[in-house]
Amino acid sequence: MTLPLRFAPAALDQLAQVSAPAPLADAVRLFSFLDLLPDPRGVRGRRYPLSALVTAAAASVLAGARSLTAITEWIGDAPTWARRTLGFPVDPLTGAVSVPHPHTLRRLLVRLDGDALDRAIGAFLPARATPAGPGLRAIAVDGKALRGSRTATTPYITLLAAMDHDGHVLAQRQVSDKNNEIPAFQPLLSTIDLTGTVVTTDALHTQHAHGTYLRERGAHYIAQVKANHPGLFDRIRRLPWSEITLDHHDRTRAHHRLEIRRLKTAAFAHLDYPDARQALQVVRWRKNFTTGKLTIERVYLITSLPPGAATGVRLAAWTRGHWKIENLLHHVRDRTFREDDSKIHIGHLPRIMAGLRNLAIGVHRRDGHTNIAAALRHTARDYRRPLTALGLTG
């Protein structure tokens, strides 16, 4: 994926300039992206480089820090060589490396530009990844409320995120509440190269303007249709689905339940939605062996993919894969990082902490870890591990 114009040239030019012990020849260093963040501090009194402070916070979260207190404790306990690698100033007379007081870091993170940080993270993660293989890349868009982020004007803030179906966050944007996700959709995706992608969304984002925007950006879409779009929903629901050939059938048995999923597709000559070419029906049968309860759910979707552009297996994987953003991102932040239990609600702190957690999850997944909790414990046992993961050491 190409880097956003704001980050690509300067970031790549700086790769050979950042000093670190035994750097890898092809390392992509977080420093190169964080150096481009706007510094909210005054010109006077900048004792610690902005990139050093944010990189140290990021490294601590990679090692499992869940709170601002845990971050400052991790930095304070860091050995001298780690402090030097992070870029903290060295006393020329004694060789001692000082670290910031907890209030210094807190004051910075409260005022840090969350959009800029998320853009930097969204540029860093793809840059350190191996190039994607051929075929369309799936991206899910969904929002998450930060339950512990109550402010004087809102009960909580909501973050709208774009994540590929492998679990890597590509962009994130803060909105004031769930109802304001719609106008944030296009700004969220504006920093991502959407060429050769298929974007999956829930019914909230099945908007004509969104469909037009995605097609203009070179992306396809798979969008869920519910009763909040009554005309479109009624037309798709009333198709003769019982007469349409089955495209895909899947049967799984796990977690004390049996689940059967059936997918059918129907081509349209015209549908009142930008470039819509097919309608999809997904029928899910779930039987709980513990309670004996059987549930049947029918889901309807539309897509700009023309007939034959993707197999039934691929379409089923994309429709099911959309909810990975819940399991691979939101669930991990809630359960592993205890995000909803956090009482951080001052300034930009909730947004910044969420961004750092996205970075940690993305880095660990890029490095092949599927169990993020185990990856955090592994990383916490050696200060060199988070620094290496961020490209600071070899």
Side-chain angles (χ1 to χ4, degrees):
M1 186 180 101
T2 58
L3 298 178
L5 295 178
R6 180 178 175 184
F7 291 97
L12 295 177
D13 289 342
Q14 293 177 25
L15 287 179
Q17 301 176 12
V18 180
S19 60
L24 296 175
D26 59 349
V28 176
R29 302 172 189 131
L30 185 62
F31 274 151
S32 305
F33 299 88
L34 296 183
D35 278 344
L36 302 174
L37 290 177
D39 196 329
R41 300 173 296 177
V43 177
R44 296 180 61 185
R46 294 185 184 180
R47 181 180 180 186
Y48 301 99
L50 177 68
S51 59
L53 293 169
V54 180
T55 300
S60 69
V61 176
L62 257 71
R66 297 178 180 175
S67 64
L68 192 59
T69 299
I71 290 174
T72 56
E73 289 175 350
W74 186 91
I75 296 173
D77 291 339
T80 300
W81 68 264
R83 297 179 180 186
R84 186 180 297 111
T85 302
L86 286 166
F88 290 122
V90 181
D91 190 305
L93 298 179
T94 65
V97 184
S98 61
V99 293
H101 188 276
H103 291 311
T104 300
L105 184 62
R106 181 184 182 87
R107 285 194 298 268
L108 171 68
L109 297 183
V110 165
R111 301 166 56 198
L112 196 63
D113 187 333
D115 286 336
L117 177 63
D118 282 329
R119 285 194 295 268
I121 292 170
F124 170 73
L125 289 175
R128 74 187 293 278
T130 55
L136 294 174
R137 181 172 57 121
I139 298 174
V141 175
D142 193 34
K144 179 185 185 298
L146 303 185
R147 299 299 177 186
S149 60
R150 179 181 55 82
T151 68
T153 57
T154 60
Y156 52 80
I157 65 171
T158 299
L159 297 178
L160 185 65
M163 184 196 82
D164 66 27
H165 283 202
D166 292 324
H168 310 126
V169 178
L170 306 175
Q172 182 173 262
R173 191 171 185 86
Q174 180 174 327
V175 297
S176 58
D177 56 55
K178 193 74 175 175
N179 294 329
N180 285 327
E181 283 189 24
I182 293 174
F185 182 87
Q186 295 184 24
L188 172 77
L189 297 177
S190 64
T191 60
I192 304 174
D193 180 8
L194 296 180
T195 306
T197 65
V198 55
V199 177
T200 60
T201 67
D202 59 18
L204 178 66
H205 293 290
T206 306
Q207 307 289 333
H208 281 66
H210 292 358
T212 301
Y213 172 78
L214 292 174
R215 298 300 294 135
E216 289 175 348
R217 292 283 313 277
H220 285 286
Y221 60 79
I222 299 177
Q224 189 173 357
V225 180
K226 289 186 176 180
N228 58 329
H229 303 281
L232 186 61
F233 177 73
D234 192 58
R235 183 176 181 189
I236 295 173
R237 183 175 60 87
R238 292 181 180 276
L239 289 174
W241 290 108
S242 61
E243 303 172 14
I244 296 174
T245 305
L246 186 67
D247 283 284
H248 178 70
H249 175 272
D250 182 56
R251 179 188 181 102
T252 58
R253 182 170 179 165
H255 306 295
H256 305 287
R257 71 182 184 185
L258 172 67
E259 184 169 349
I260 300 173
R261 292 174 294 275
R262 296 160 56 92
L263 171 73
K264 293 182 178 182
T265 61
F268 270 94
H270 173 72
L271 188 65
D272 186 23
Y273 198 83
D275 266 2
R277 301 293 300 276
Q278 296 185 89
L280 286 67
Q281 183 199 57
V282 177
V283 181
R284 301 173 182 145
W285 301 62
R286 294 188 183 96
K287 182 172 183 179
N288 189 309
F289 293 122
T290 302
T291 64
K293 182 179 180 181
L294 174 66
T295 59
I296 302 175
E297 179 185 18
R298 287 177 174 83
V299 178
Y300 299 98
L301 308 101
I302 53 174
T303 180
S304 59
L305 291 163
T311 64
V313 174
R314 180 58 61 88
L315 288 172
W318 283 335
T319 57
R320 190 179 184 189
H322 173 75
W323 302 111
K324 288 183 178 179
I325 195 169
E326 292 286 345
N327 298 327
L328 299 183
L329 180 64
H330 300 164
H331 181 78
V332 173
R333 283 186 4 208
D334 282 343
R335 296 300 181 89
T336 303
F337 286 102
R338 312 300 299 177
E339 185 169 81
D340 278 354
D341 292 337
S342 174
K343 300 305 179 184
I344 296 174
H345 58 268
I346 299 175
H348 298 167
L349 274 178
R351 166 74 178 281
I352 298 302
M353 291 298 296
L356 295 178
R357 290 165 188 147
N358 289 344
L359 173 63
I361 294 168
V363 166
H364 287 316
R365 285 229 167 83
R366 295 283 188 195
D367 291 344
H369 297 284
T370 56
N371 186 322
I372 301 301
L376 297 177
R377 293 192 299 269
H378 172 80
T379 306
R381 290 194 289 268
D382 186 342
Y383 268 86
R384 188 171 297 273
R385 289 171 181 167
L387 302 188
T388 301
L390 297 177
L392 276 63
T393 65

